[in-house]
Amino acid sequence: MFSALRQASRSVSSTRALRTPASRPVAAAFTLRPLARTLVTTKYTKDHEAVIYDDQKNIGKVTITDYAQTSLGDVVFVELPTTDTEVAQGESIGAVESVKAASDIFSPVSGKVVAINEELGSQPSLVNKSPEDKGWLCEIELSKPSEMDDLMSAGEYQAHCEES
Amino acid sequence: MVQSNFRGATATAFLEWLTPSSLTSLSSYSSTLSVLLNEKGGIIDDTIITKHAEDAYYVVTNAGRRERDLAWFKQKLEEWNASERAAGGKVEHEVLEKWGLLALQGPHAAEYLQGLTSFDLQGLTFGKSAFVPIEGFHLHVARGGYTGEDGFEISVPPAQTMEVAELLSKSSVWLTGLGARDSLRLEAGMCLYGHDLDEDTTPVEAALSWVIGKDRREAADFIGAEGVLKHLKDGPPRRRVGLIIDGAPAREGAKILTPTDSEVIGQVTSGIPSPTLGKNIAMGYIKSGWHKKGTEVAVDVRGKLRKGVLTPMPFVKPRYWRG
């Protein structure tokens, strides 16, 4: 996303609050139901992608951030990877296009694409309306779950946006 | 933009040497799109030339080409003034340093400006200009612009730029960035220097043959005439065309290929999803023979081939005021 955000002429107020991930059920040591030990974490890249990772399924849902969609303006086209494609962390897996710019989507993690959001073909504006939920891009089965540790937390990402 | 005045008894002949335009036949206070050509016939810059009189011209060139243009003007002016062609009187070039140029554009531009002046703007048709009293200012106003819409380009002396800008941006007027203007000019099929035009492109390739005056073709006395006339006579090797592309928008640099065997036959030089049409529009250069409207081609967008159809420009019909 990075180059397009630099290009985007409309400045985004640095004071605008970024959406923070919705609170998730967190594993608790004292739970009596061991099968419910699912931990969902959201991590961010400096290029303004997010990955919502379910450690039980080992699947990460890739999105662009709310900050990114605001900077791009109205999204008119989304190019997604093909299901079953193996991707490496940092590799271009598609693009999000607004009138102003085309910007690459870089995969936040390595793995195999197991699902794509078909809805975006007919409704690219979902990326604006609901960037980190209904406007999700694809799901990746992680081959190196430890890569999640290299990504930014919500707090770190917010600080990153305020700097840029 | 860079604004300039050229004055002197041989100013018409001088500018007819620098450009292929018929300035002799241009009436006073009328403008024309033109091109500055290098020795090969390549486009140094595109420009709007307004004739005030046989010996006085107002010329607007691109800010991005300032250094190249001003050096060219200086060099050619020295050559001209030292030659016999300036026997009738030398030509002077004045750069209007720090002057402002404000473009008031859109379907309601005339209505808004008319509210600020007693000058009847009905009579000021597309391509005409006049000195117009605007709320106590006396400003050069040219009807036109680079959006395909009706509008005005208003030249403002340095000391008045802020005041006039504020006066012209009240109430219903929105200040607009270059991104919006870029969408509009592309919808109107107009070139952006450095993207759609460069020094290796002749006006014939750029589909700007209409700027070359009929009398000028016969006389062939402008800089770069040989290259330009060769392209006119034999046909250019490539041509600027419009495209509508299915699926993904094709941007500058996207390759244009034959639909069957994927041979590269051209390149996109400007492209956007058109906000007015809701389609992906682009202009680019394509090998002659492939340039006819309706021709289907393939366009490579991030490694995927998309269908493109050659489409006449403008993509959106201009709405100039022609009286």
Side-chain angles (χ1 to χ4, degrees), chain B residues 5-298:
Chain B
N5 283 323
F6 287 90
R7 292 197 193 86
T10 58
T12 301
F14 173 68
L15 290 172
E16 286 200 337
W17 182 45
L18 260 56
T19 73
S21 298
S22 295
L23 300 174
T24 308
S25 55
L26 193 67
S27 53
S28 291
Y29 284 89
S30 293
S31 308
T32 183
L33 177 75
S34 188
V35 285
L36 299 172
L37 298 176
N38 64 26
E39 308 289 355
K40 296 180 302 179
I43 300 170
I44 296 173
D45 201 0
D46 56 339
T47 173
I48 300 284
I49 299 178
T50 303
K51 183 180 191 174
H52 286 157
E54 287 296 323
D55 60 355
Y57 287 84
Y58 163 69
V59 175
V60 179
T61 48
N62 284 301
R65 295 294 284 167
R66 183 187 167 95
E67 277 183 37
R68 173 69 170 125
D69 292 346
L70 294 187
W72 182 254
F73 285 144
K74 187 168 182 286
Q75 181 198 336
K76 292 296 149 189
L77 202 64
E78 280 169 10
E79 256 180 70
W80 180 266
N81 284 336
S83 76
E84 275 185 16
R85 290 172 291 187
K90 288 188 176 12
V91 178
E92 284 172 18
H93 175 213
E94 176 198 13
V95 182
L96 296 169
E97 294 289 4
K98 299 201 186 302
W99 280 55
L101 189 61
L102 298 168
L104 184 69
Q105 303 280 294
H108 299 292
E111 188 187 317
Y112 183 83
L113 192 61
Q114 192 64 78
L116 301 172
T117 178
S118 56
F119 186 99
D120 182 9
L121 296 173
Q122 291 266 341
L124 191 71
T125 51
F126 179 74
K128 299 279 179 194
S129 58
F131 283 93
V132 174
I134 298 173
E135 296 271 297
F137 301 100
H138 190 63
L139 304 170
H140 187 265
V141 175
R143 192 127 195 185
Y146 219 61
T147 60
E149 291 288 337
D150 184 23
F152 305 89
E153 287 194 342
I154 302 163
S155 177
V156 192
Q160 301 170 352
T161 47
M162 285 299 288
E163 258 183 294
V164 174
E166 280 162 13
L167 178 69
L168 291 176
S169 57
K170 281 183 185 158
S171 62
S172 56
V173 178
W174 286 13
L175 293 174
T176 303
L178 280 176
R181 196 201 65 158
D182 191 53
S183 299
L184 290 165
R185 71 92 194 163
L186 187 49
E187 289 182 338
M190 298 190 288
C191 298
L192 183 61
Y193 197 90
H195 300 263
D196 311 307
L197 303 176
D198 61 30
E199 292 220 27
D200 295 319
T201 303
T202 69
V204 185
E205 291 172 307
L208 296 173
S209 298
W210 62 272
V211 309
I212 309 162
K214 289 233 162 55
D215 55 321
R216 308 302 316 282
R217 298 172 192 207
E218 283 156 29
D221 55 356
F222 54 91
I223 296 170
E226 196 187 332
V228 169
L229 295 175
K230 186 172 185 305
H231 278 183
L232 272 179
K233 184 166 162 282
D234 304 342
R238 60 191 182 121
R239 298 170 194 256
R240 183 172 64 91
V241 293
L243 292 159
I244 288 183
I245 294 135
D246 282 359
R251 312 269 179 179
E252 184 174 3
K255 296 262 185 301
I256 304 170
L257 310 127
T258 57
T260 46
D261 48 7
S262 296
E263 181 202 338
V264 176
I265 46 170
Q267 188 162 321
V268 169
T269 51
S270 288
I272 53 160
S274 160
T276 307
L277 300 176
K279 293 177 184 170
N280 302 316
I281 60 169
M283 64 167 80
Y285 284 82
I286 199 163
K287 213 162 126 182
S288 281
W290 285 89
H291 62 279
K292 302 252 159 45
K293 70 174 177 187
T295 304
E296 277 186 28
V297 294

Side-chain angles (χ1 to χ4, degrees), chain A residues 19-40:
Chain A
R19 178 201 298 214
T20 49
S23 59
R24 307 283 181 181
V26 174
F30 48 81
T31 178
L32 297 174
R33 294 174 297 148
L35 288 177
R37 282 178 56 92
T38 300
L39 187 63
V40 176

